[in-house]
Amino acid sequence: MPCEMEKIRAEGFAAVVIDILRASTTIITALANGAERVIPLTTLEEARARKEKEPDALLGGERNALPPPGFDLGNSPREYEPERVKGRTVILTTTNGTRACQAAVAAGAEVVVIGGFVNRRAVVEFCRSFPGPILLVCAGTRGRFSLEDSLYAGSVISGLGEGLQLSDGARACLTLYERWQGCDLAALVGGSTHGRRLADLGFGEDIRLAAAVDSHPVLPVYREGEIRLEPIGTPGF
Ligand code: MLT
């Protein structure tokens, strides 16, 4: 959780930033659909100032799940289709997800990757190939626990196999995943607090997209202020 991140030092760790609904799903989708890079920023002011400097970039994101005034795009993965994003830079600011990216960097993580159900296998392969410890950063919702993020963290841990040294939080995530493994993922994600809210706002289709396991087999890596795709399984550090 981002609130815990303030106390965590992550030098030597690889961090996986997780915001299933919807920032990580949207970032992965945008890059898989051909966006050149995504620049995650914390505040609306920072994002608008960056757009002024880079007027050709697309300005995307949300506040209270809706696109802020003057933005080109919201935070729905559906909007980041190839015709819209191919070859473009996306400046993105969201309530929890882009903050979690910054928190992972501030904690000193050696490398930061973006994880979602849509690229689960790529993230598991990356974690397997990373020589050091892994920090799974669940963005949560306004500092609170999110079922969908924890379920995904558990699915990554499960994919890494036996014999791992797990924190209490990681064990809880794994137990959650094992309890629900094989269930209808879209229904579980859609039944979460934020999932119900998004459905009420008319974003039900985003839940189905967020639960489409391995629909985008790519590895987004956040380095020096921008997120780009890197080859899967190549730690490169
Ligand atoms: C966030 O970063 O808080 C989210 O992705 C919210 C959303 O747009 O669903």
Side-chain angles (χ1 to χ4, degrees), residues 8-9 20 32 36 44-45 47 50 71 82 91 94 106 115 119 121-122 148 167 180 186 188 190 217 219:
I8 286 176
R9 292 311 310 157
I20 300 299
E36 192 183 323
L44 291 173
E45 294 69 32
R50 186 68 181 247
F71 271 45
I91 299 165
T94 71
N119 71 342
R121 188 176 314 181
E148 66 280 9
S167 67
W180 277 324
L188 282 172
L219 186 69

PDB file of all heavy atoms in Angstrom, residues 8-9 20 32 36 44-45 47 50 71 82 91 94 106 115 119 121-122 148 167 180 186 188 190 217 219:
ATOM      1  N   ILE A   8       9.121   1.980   3.815  1.00  0.00           N
ATOM      2  CA  ILE A   8       9.860   0.876   3.210  1.00  0.00           C
ATOM      3  C   ILE A   8      11.063   1.383   2.433  1.00  0.00           C
ATOM      4  O   ILE A   8      10.968   2.351   1.686  1.00  0.00           O
ATOM      5  CB  ILE A   8       8.908   0.065   2.290  1.00  0.00           C
ATOM      6  CG1 ILE A   8       7.956  -0.758   3.153  1.00  0.00           C
ATOM      7  CG2 ILE A   8       9.671  -0.827   1.307  1.00  0.00           C
ATOM      8  CD1 ILE A   8       6.921  -1.531   2.400  1.00  0.00           C
ATOM      9  N   ARG A   9      12.212   0.710   2.627  1.00  0.00           N
ATOM     10  CA  ARG A   9      13.369   0.982   1.782  1.00  0.00           C
ATOM     11  C   ARG A   9      13.491  -0.208   0.831  1.00  0.00           C
ATOM     12  O   ARG A   9      13.395  -1.356   1.252  1.00  0.00           O
ATOM     13  CB  ARG A   9      14.655   1.121   2.614  1.00  0.00           C
ATOM     14  CG  ARG A   9      14.718   2.344   3.515  1.00  0.00           C
ATOM     15  CD  ARG A   9      14.365   3.658   2.841  1.00  0.00           C
ATOM     16  NE  ARG A   9      15.078   3.883   1.590  1.00  0.00           N
ATOM     17  CZ  ARG A   9      14.640   4.708   0.618  1.00  0.00           C
ATOM     18  NH1 ARG A   9      13.497   5.347   0.741  1.00  0.00           N
ATOM     19  NH2 ARG A   9      15.348   4.857  -0.478  1.00  0.00           N
ATOM     20  N   ILE A  20      -4.940  -2.582 -10.572  1.00  0.00           N
ATOM     21  CA  ILE A  20      -5.744  -3.317 -11.564  1.00  0.00           C
ATOM     22  C   ILE A  20      -6.866  -2.439 -12.102  1.00  0.00           C
ATOM     23  O   ILE A  20      -7.121  -2.400 -13.305  1.00  0.00           O
ATOM     24  CB  ILE A  20      -6.306  -4.617 -10.907  1.00  0.00           C
ATOM     25  CG1 ILE A  20      -5.164  -5.519 -10.411  1.00  0.00           C
ATOM     26  CG2 ILE A  20      -7.255  -5.343 -11.848  1.00  0.00           C
ATOM     27  CD1 ILE A  20      -4.216  -5.998 -11.477  1.00  0.00           C
ATOM     28  N   ALA A  32       1.092  -1.588 -25.050  1.00  0.00           N
ATOM     29  CA  ALA A  32       0.886  -2.749 -25.932  1.00  0.00           C
ATOM     30  C   ALA A  32       0.250  -2.306 -27.242  1.00  0.00           C
ATOM     31  O   ALA A  32       0.484  -2.907 -28.292  1.00  0.00           O
ATOM     32  CB  ALA A  32       0.000  -3.787 -25.239  1.00  0.00           C
ATOM     33  N   GLU A  36       4.490   5.161 -27.398  1.00  0.00           N
ATOM     34  CA  GLU A  36       5.949   5.094 -27.281  1.00  0.00           C
ATOM     35  C   GLU A  36       6.376   5.080 -25.817  1.00  0.00           C
ATOM     36  O   GLU A  36       7.270   4.345 -25.415  1.00  0.00           O
ATOM     37  CB  GLU A  36       6.529   6.310 -27.995  1.00  0.00           C
ATOM     38  CG  GLU A  36       8.006   6.225 -28.191  1.00  0.00           C
ATOM     39  CD  GLU A  36       8.532   7.483 -28.847  1.00  0.00           C
ATOM     40  OE1 GLU A  36       7.844   8.038 -29.723  1.00  0.00           O
ATOM     41  OE2 GLU A  36       9.628   7.909 -28.446  1.00  0.00           O
ATOM     42  N   LEU A  44      -2.465  17.045 -11.046  1.00  0.00           N
ATOM     43  CA  LEU A  44      -3.029  17.613 -12.272  1.00  0.00           C
ATOM     44  C   LEU A  44      -2.134  18.739 -12.784  1.00  0.00           C
ATOM     45  O   LEU A  44      -1.924  18.883 -13.987  1.00  0.00           O
ATOM     46  CB  LEU A  44      -4.425  18.174 -11.986  1.00  0.00           C
ATOM     47  CG  LEU A  44      -5.521  17.155 -11.674  1.00  0.00           C
ATOM     48  CD1 LEU A  44      -6.796  17.869 -11.249  1.00  0.00           C
ATOM     49  CD2 LEU A  44      -5.784  16.261 -12.875  1.00  0.00           C
ATOM     50  N   GLU A  45      -1.601  19.537 -11.850  1.00  0.00           N
ATOM     51  CA  GLU A  45      -0.759  20.681 -12.236  1.00  0.00           C
ATOM     52  C   GLU A  45       0.482  20.196 -12.978  1.00  0.00           C
ATOM     53  O   GLU A  45       0.840  20.739 -14.031  1.00  0.00           O
ATOM     54  CB  GLU A  45      -0.329  21.483 -10.988  1.00  0.00           C
ATOM     55  CG  GLU A  45      -1.462  22.185 -10.258  1.00  0.00           C
ATOM     56  CD  GLU A  45      -2.430  21.219  -9.550  1.00  0.00           C
ATOM     57  OE1 GLU A  45      -1.988  20.144  -9.095  1.00  0.00           O
ATOM     58  OE2 GLU A  45      -3.631  21.547  -9.460  1.00  0.00           O
ATOM     59  N   ALA A  47       0.868  17.454 -14.555  1.00  0.00           N
ATOM     60  CA  ALA A  47       0.488  16.853 -15.838  1.00  0.00           C
ATOM     61  C   ALA A  47       0.186  17.941 -16.867  1.00  0.00           C
ATOM     62  O   ALA A  47       0.621  17.863 -18.019  1.00  0.00           O
ATOM     63  CB  ALA A  47      -0.718  15.938 -15.641  1.00  0.00           C
ATOM     64  N   ARG A  50       3.392  19.595 -18.003  1.00  0.00           N
ATOM     65  CA  ARG A  50       4.155  18.745 -18.923  1.00  0.00           C
ATOM     66  C   ARG A  50       3.539  18.773 -20.322  1.00  0.00           C
ATOM     67  O   ARG A  50       4.234  18.788 -21.329  1.00  0.00           O
ATOM     68  CB  ARG A  50       4.167  17.315 -18.365  1.00  0.00           C
ATOM     69  CG  ARG A  50       5.031  16.346 -19.115  1.00  0.00           C
ATOM     70  CD  ARG A  50       6.513  16.678 -18.950  1.00  0.00           C
ATOM     71  NE  ARG A  50       7.315  15.753 -19.705  1.00  0.00           N
ATOM     72  CZ  ARG A  50       8.145  14.861 -19.153  1.00  0.00           C
ATOM     73  NH1 ARG A  50       8.311  14.825 -17.856  1.00  0.00           N
ATOM     74  NH2 ARG A  50       8.830  14.030 -19.910  1.00  0.00           N
ATOM     75  N   PHE A  71      -8.635  17.301 -20.493  1.00  0.00           N
ATOM     76  CA  PHE A  71      -7.790  16.152 -20.797  1.00  0.00           C
ATOM     77  C   PHE A  71      -8.226  15.519 -22.134  1.00  0.00           C
ATOM     78  O   PHE A  71      -9.397  15.576 -22.504  1.00  0.00           O
ATOM     79  CB  PHE A  71      -7.876  15.114 -19.668  1.00  0.00           C
ATOM     80  CG  PHE A  71      -6.867  15.345 -18.569  1.00  0.00           C
ATOM     81  CD1 PHE A  71      -6.666  16.623 -18.057  1.00  0.00           C
ATOM     82  CD2 PHE A  71      -6.120  14.307 -18.046  1.00  0.00           C
ATOM     83  CE1 PHE A  71      -5.725  16.855 -17.049  1.00  0.00           C
ATOM     84  CE2 PHE A  71      -5.181  14.516 -17.041  1.00  0.00           C
ATOM     85  CZ  PHE A  71      -4.984  15.784 -16.550  1.00  0.00           C
ATOM     86  N   PRO A  82      -5.119   1.412 -30.522  1.00  0.00           N
ATOM     87  CA  PRO A  82      -3.952   1.669 -31.373  1.00  0.00           C
ATOM     88  C   PRO A  82      -4.097   2.931 -32.223  1.00  0.00           C
ATOM     89  O   PRO A  82      -3.140   3.716 -32.330  1.00  0.00           O
ATOM     90  CB  PRO A  82      -3.878   0.413 -32.259  1.00  0.00           C
ATOM     91  CG  PRO A  82      -4.571  -0.654 -31.489  1.00  0.00           C
ATOM     92  CD  PRO A  82      -5.612   0.020 -30.653  1.00  0.00           C
ATOM     93  N   ILE A  91       0.914  11.372 -21.224  1.00  0.00           N
ATOM     94  CA  ILE A  91       1.154  11.926 -19.885  1.00  0.00           C
ATOM     95  C   ILE A  91      -0.042  11.490 -19.050  1.00  0.00           C
ATOM     96  O   ILE A  91      -1.193  11.770 -19.419  1.00  0.00           O
ATOM     97  CB  ILE A  91       1.226  13.464 -19.947  1.00  0.00           C
ATOM     98  CG1 ILE A  91       2.386  13.904 -20.856  1.00  0.00           C
ATOM     99  CG2 ILE A  91       1.362  14.060 -18.546  1.00  0.00           C
ATOM    100  CD1 ILE A  91       2.316  15.364 -21.275  1.00  0.00           C
ATOM    101  N   THR A  94      -3.250   9.773 -12.227  1.00  0.00           N
ATOM    102  CA  THR A  94      -4.426   9.108 -11.646  1.00  0.00           C
ATOM    103  C   THR A  94      -4.352   9.232 -10.126  1.00  0.00           C
ATOM    104  O   THR A  94      -3.312   9.584  -9.570  1.00  0.00           O
ATOM    105  CB  THR A  94      -4.497   7.620 -12.053  1.00  0.00           C
ATOM    106  OG1 THR A  94      -3.469   6.906 -11.374  1.00  0.00           O
ATOM    107  CG2 THR A  94      -4.359   7.430 -13.547  1.00  0.00           C
ATOM    108  N   ALA A 106      10.629   6.391  -5.087  1.00  0.00           N
ATOM    109  CA  ALA A 106      11.097   7.092  -3.878  1.00  0.00           C
ATOM    110  C   ALA A 106      11.656   6.103  -2.852  1.00  0.00           C
ATOM    111  O   ALA A 106      12.563   6.447  -2.085  1.00  0.00           O
ATOM    112  CB  ALA A 106       9.951   7.898  -3.278  1.00  0.00           C
ATOM    113  N   GLY A 115       2.429  -4.045 -13.370  1.00  0.00           N
ATOM    114  CA  GLY A 115       1.793  -5.364 -13.455  1.00  0.00           C
ATOM    115  C   GLY A 115       0.278  -5.278 -13.424  1.00  0.00           C
ATOM    116  O   GLY A 115      -0.309  -4.444 -12.720  1.00  0.00           O
ATOM    117  N   ASN A 119      -0.971  -8.649 -18.137  1.00  0.00           N
ATOM    118  CA  ASN A 119       0.405  -9.072 -18.477  1.00  0.00           C
ATOM    119  C   ASN A 119       0.991  -9.959 -17.374  1.00  0.00           C
ATOM    120  O   ASN A 119       2.190  -9.939 -17.130  1.00  0.00           O
ATOM    121  CB  ASN A 119       1.308  -7.857 -18.749  1.00  0.00           C
ATOM    122  CG  ASN A 119       1.641  -7.066 -17.500  1.00  0.00           C
ATOM    123  OD1 ASN A 119       0.966  -7.195 -16.477  1.00  0.00           O
ATOM    124  ND2 ASN A 119       2.675  -6.240 -17.571  1.00  0.00           N
ATOM    125  N   ARG A 121       1.692 -13.159 -16.931  1.00  0.00           N
ATOM    126  CA  ARG A 121       2.776 -14.101 -17.185  1.00  0.00           C
ATOM    127  C   ARG A 121       4.109 -13.362 -17.423  1.00  0.00           C
ATOM    128  O   ARG A 121       5.162 -13.792 -16.965  1.00  0.00           O
ATOM    129  CB  ARG A 121       2.447 -14.982 -18.386  1.00  0.00           C
ATOM    130  CG  ARG A 121       3.489 -16.099 -18.526  1.00  0.00           C
ATOM    131  CD  ARG A 121       3.183 -17.054 -19.622  1.00  0.00           C
ATOM    132  NE  ARG A 121       1.763 -17.450 -19.591  1.00  0.00           N
ATOM    133  CZ  ARG A 121       1.234 -18.295 -20.449  1.00  0.00           C
ATOM    134  NH1 ARG A 121       1.964 -18.835 -21.379  1.00  0.00           N
ATOM    135  NH2 ARG A 121      -0.044 -18.606 -20.372  1.00  0.00           N
ATOM    136  N   ALA A 122       4.050 -12.248 -18.136  1.00  0.00           N
ATOM    137  CA  ALA A 122       5.270 -11.473 -18.395  1.00  0.00           C
ATOM    138  C   ALA A 122       5.889 -10.999 -17.077  1.00  0.00           C
ATOM    139  O   ALA A 122       7.114 -11.028 -16.899  1.00  0.00           O
ATOM    140  CB  ALA A 122       4.944 -10.274 -19.288  1.00  0.00           C
ATOM    141  N   GLU A 148      -8.840  -6.351  -5.596  1.00  0.00           N
ATOM    142  CA  GLU A 148      -8.337  -6.760  -6.922  1.00  0.00           C
ATOM    143  C   GLU A 148      -6.818  -6.683  -6.991  1.00  0.00           C
ATOM    144  O   GLU A 148      -6.177  -7.525  -7.628  1.00  0.00           O
ATOM    145  CB  GLU A 148      -9.015  -5.940  -8.030  1.00  0.00           C
ATOM    146  CG  GLU A 148      -8.720  -4.450  -8.067  1.00  0.00           C
ATOM    147  CD  GLU A 148      -9.527  -3.620  -7.059  1.00  0.00           C
ATOM    148  OE1 GLU A 148     -10.205  -4.193  -6.190  1.00  0.00           O
ATOM    149  OE2 GLU A 148      -9.456  -2.365  -7.143  1.00  0.00           O
ATOM    150  N   SER A 167       6.533 -12.046   3.180  1.00  0.00           N
ATOM    151  CA  SER A 167       6.089 -11.202   4.296  1.00  0.00           C
ATOM    152  C   SER A 167       4.667 -11.626   4.675  1.00  0.00           C
ATOM    153  O   SER A 167       4.001 -12.369   3.930  1.00  0.00           O
ATOM    154  CB  SER A 167       6.065  -9.735   3.860  1.00  0.00           C
ATOM    155  OG  SER A 167       5.046  -9.563   2.884  1.00  0.00           O
ATOM    156  N   TRP A 180      -9.581 -18.274  -4.146  1.00  0.00           N
ATOM    157  CA  TRP A 180     -10.464 -17.938  -5.270  1.00  0.00           C
ATOM    158  C   TRP A 180      -9.959 -18.402  -6.626  1.00  0.00           C
ATOM    159  O   TRP A 180     -10.594 -18.131  -7.646  1.00  0.00           O
ATOM    160  CB  TRP A 180     -10.723 -16.430  -5.300  1.00  0.00           C
ATOM    161  CG  TRP A 180     -11.814 -16.040  -4.364  1.00  0.00           C
ATOM    162  CD1 TRP A 180     -12.942 -16.755  -4.084  1.00  0.00           C
ATOM    163  CD2 TRP A 180     -11.901 -14.848  -3.600  1.00  0.00           C
ATOM    164  NE1 TRP A 180     -13.725 -16.072  -3.194  1.00  0.00           N
ATOM    165  CE2 TRP A 180     -13.109 -14.891  -2.878  1.00  0.00           C
ATOM    166  CE3 TRP A 180     -11.081 -13.734  -3.456  1.00  0.00           C
ATOM    167  CZ2 TRP A 180     -13.520 -13.875  -2.028  1.00  0.00           C
ATOM    168  CZ3 TRP A 180     -11.490 -12.719  -2.623  1.00  0.00           C
ATOM    169  CH2 TRP A 180     -12.694 -12.793  -1.907  1.00  0.00           C
ATOM    170  N   ALA A 186     -13.484 -11.859 -13.582  1.00  0.00           N
ATOM    171  CA  ALA A 186     -14.180 -10.583 -13.856  1.00  0.00           C
ATOM    172  C   ALA A 186     -15.250 -10.338 -12.794  1.00  0.00           C
ATOM    173  O   ALA A 186     -15.448  -9.187 -12.358  1.00  0.00           O
ATOM    174  CB  ALA A 186     -14.783 -10.606 -15.247  1.00  0.00           C
ATOM    175  N   LEU A 188     -15.150 -11.423  -9.665  1.00  0.00           N
ATOM    176  CA  LEU A 188     -14.463 -11.061  -8.407  1.00  0.00           C
ATOM    177  C   LEU A 188     -13.995  -9.609  -8.439  1.00  0.00           C
ATOM    178  O   LEU A 188     -14.217  -8.849  -7.490  1.00  0.00           O
ATOM    179  CB  LEU A 188     -13.232 -11.950  -8.205  1.00  0.00           C
ATOM    180  CG  LEU A 188     -13.468 -13.362  -7.707  1.00  0.00           C
ATOM    181  CD1 LEU A 188     -12.163 -14.142  -7.747  1.00  0.00           C
ATOM    182  CD2 LEU A 188     -14.025 -13.320  -6.285  1.00  0.00           C
ATOM    183  N   GLY A 190     -15.081  -7.255 -10.435  1.00  0.00           N
ATOM    184  CA  GLY A 190     -16.263  -6.390 -10.527  1.00  0.00           C
ATOM    185  C   GLY A 190     -16.997  -6.251  -9.204  1.00  0.00           C
ATOM    186  O   GLY A 190     -17.692  -5.260  -8.965  1.00  0.00           O
ATOM    187  N   PRO A 217       0.794  -9.452 -23.548  1.00  0.00           N
ATOM    188  CA  PRO A 217       2.022 -10.057 -22.995  1.00  0.00           C
ATOM    189  C   PRO A 217       3.244  -9.149 -23.169  1.00  0.00           C
ATOM    190  O   PRO A 217       4.146  -9.438 -23.948  1.00  0.00           O
ATOM    191  CB  PRO A 217       2.146 -11.361 -23.799  1.00  0.00           C
ATOM    192  CG  PRO A 217       1.435 -11.096 -25.082  1.00  0.00           C
ATOM    193  CD  PRO A 217       0.392 -10.042 -24.833  1.00  0.00           C
ATOM    194  N   LEU A 219       6.053  -6.132 -21.096  1.00  0.00           N
ATOM    195  CA  LEU A 219       6.628  -5.741 -19.811  1.00  0.00           C
ATOM    196  C   LEU A 219       6.949  -4.249 -19.792  1.00  0.00           C
ATOM    197  O   LEU A 219       7.978  -3.826 -20.330  1.00  0.00           O
ATOM    198  CB  LEU A 219       7.899  -6.550 -19.531  1.00  0.00           C
ATOM    199  CG  LEU A 219       8.483  -6.314 -18.143  1.00  0.00           C
ATOM    200  CD1 LEU A 219       7.573  -6.903 -17.063  1.00  0.00           C
ATOM    201  CD2 LEU A 219       9.873  -6.924 -18.034  1.00  0.00           C
TER     202      LEU A 219
END
